[in-house]
Amino acid sequence: MRRKFVAGNWKMNGSANSIRELLQGIREGAAEVAAVELAVFPSFVYLGLVEQQLSDSSVGWGAQNLSEHASGAHTGEVAGSMLQDFHCDYVIVGHSERRTLYGETDEIVARKFATARKIGLKPILCVGETLQEREQGVTEAVVERQIKAVLDLEGISGFADAVIAYEPVWAIGTGRTATAGQAQEVHAFIRAKLAQLDSALASQVCILYGGSMKAANAAELLAMPDIDGGLIGGASLEAKEFLAIAKAGC
Ligand code: 13P
């Protein structure tokens, strides 16, 4: 039985004060949704604050990105080992905003995934199609290509401790959520693709949905057999809303 996982991707939002307040709210409500794993993903600069506030709680944390390199002359980049200094459990790789705004290719994302795993950070691999790709009927081909880049580098065992987040680009920050049926279809496709290589691993792998997920639509999405949780953007910036999404998964 896969445990539900609700993760808050804060993106480039928050301040030290707002984060303290948000974390206090999440901590206060976490016990009520203990059946669900919770984690938050602040900007790098707030990882120390988040660690300080959450280290004695059941809520985990991670970063939104990492460098594919271990160290060296990469101005402005952050190495996985630095994330370990802040005891991150997870790191998001290949978010669509990284792919589209910062030119991260499937190959770069795969290398970041490998870098994270090599040092024991659990990668959350984001995949998903644009609206144009969905309308062209190539959703499955796009998602398969994005996953194949990781499989080519890491093999199926690379997914043993990893998480996949299906985030249709057209649903991110738009208020336009995929229907539960649309999301389930892609989640089942991903699981089936992995099952062709290792069915036991595929049945264990956690596949999150992301894209305008909120308390009002979470129950329907989380009731789907292959949707194991959510990667939440906007709605994770309010403790009450974030916890209500988790509650829907209990
Ligand atoms: P929204 O929930 O704001 O649509 O963002 C989803 C997302 O990109 C999470 O990584």
Side-chain angles (χ1 to χ4, degrees):
M1 194 45 193
R2 300 182 298 268
R3 187 180 178 206
K4 290 274 194 286
F5 180 28
V6 172
N9 174 9
W10 294 349
K11 307 192 181 183
M12 199 173 72
N13 292 298
S15 63
N17 280 339
S18 74
I19 286 172
R20 270 191 207 98
E21 198 180 319
L22 175 55
L23 290 177
Q24 191 184 340
I26 294 174
R27 285 180 54 132
E28 281 169 9
E32 238 188 279
V33 295
V36 173
E37 179 179 356
L38 294 178
V40 296
F41 294 78
S43 291
F44 293 126
V45 294
Y46 295 122
L47 280 170
L49 173 62
V50 168
E51 180 186 20
Q52 203 182 72
Q53 306 274 308
L54 293 182
S55 55
D56 63 346
S57 82
S58 59
V59 184
W61 62 90
Q64 299 170 15
N65 184 27
L66 83 167
S67 170
E68 62 180 280
H69 304 288
S71 66
H74 298 282
T75 302
E77 291 289 288
V78 173
S81 59
M82 298 171 183
L83 303 181
Q84 284 180 312
D85 275 344
F86 294 97
H87 302 97
C88 288
D89 306 298
Y90 295 99
V91 62
I92 297 171
V93 298
H95 190 280
S96 71
E97 288 149 18
R98 301 289 325 161
R99 292 178 190 262
T100 56
L101 303 174
Y102 300 99
E104 291 192 10
T105 61
D106 291 338
E107 290 68 33
I108 293 173
V109 172
R111 290 199 294 273
K112 290 186 173 198
F113 184 102
T115 299
R117 281 194 66 241
K118 203 188 301 172
I119 59 171
L121 276 168
K122 292 183 201 159
I124 300 181
L125 173 70
C126 297
V127 298
E129 81 289 1
T130 62
L131 183 58
Q132 197 188 22
E133 288 164 340
R134 175 157 283 263
E135 284 170 349
Q136 286 168 351
V138 295
T139 296
E140 290 185 352
V142 168
V143 167
E144 186 172 359
R145 189 200 72 219
Q146 291 169 332
I147 289 178
K148 185 175 178 294
V150 173
L151 285 171
D152 286 349
L153 198 62
E154 291 285 271
I156 183 67
S157 62
F159 284 95
D161 267 328
V163 174
I164 297 172
Y166 169 58
E167 301 206 304
V169 179
W170 48 272
I172 295 177
T174 59
R176 187 177 161 191
T177 322
T179 64
Q182 281 173 324
Q184 165 59 25
E185 207 176 343
V186 180
H187 282 233
F189 170 78
I190 293 170
R191 203 178 301 284
K193 276 285 146 198
L194 298 180
Q196 286 173 355
L197 300 167
D198 185 334
S199 60
L201 184 151
S203 70
Q204 290 305 314
V205 96
C206 174
I207 309 179
L208 308 179
Y209 168 79
S212 297
M213 194 163 168
K214 45 186 182 281
N217 57 31
E220 205 189 342
L221 286 158
L222 296 174
M224 292 289 134
D226 289 294
I227 300 183
D228 303 318
L231 184 54
I232 322 297
S236 71
L237 297 170
E238 258 189 69
K240 238 177 97 179
E241 184 74 9
F242 184 60
L243 291 165
I245 293 169
K247 184 97 188 150
C250 287

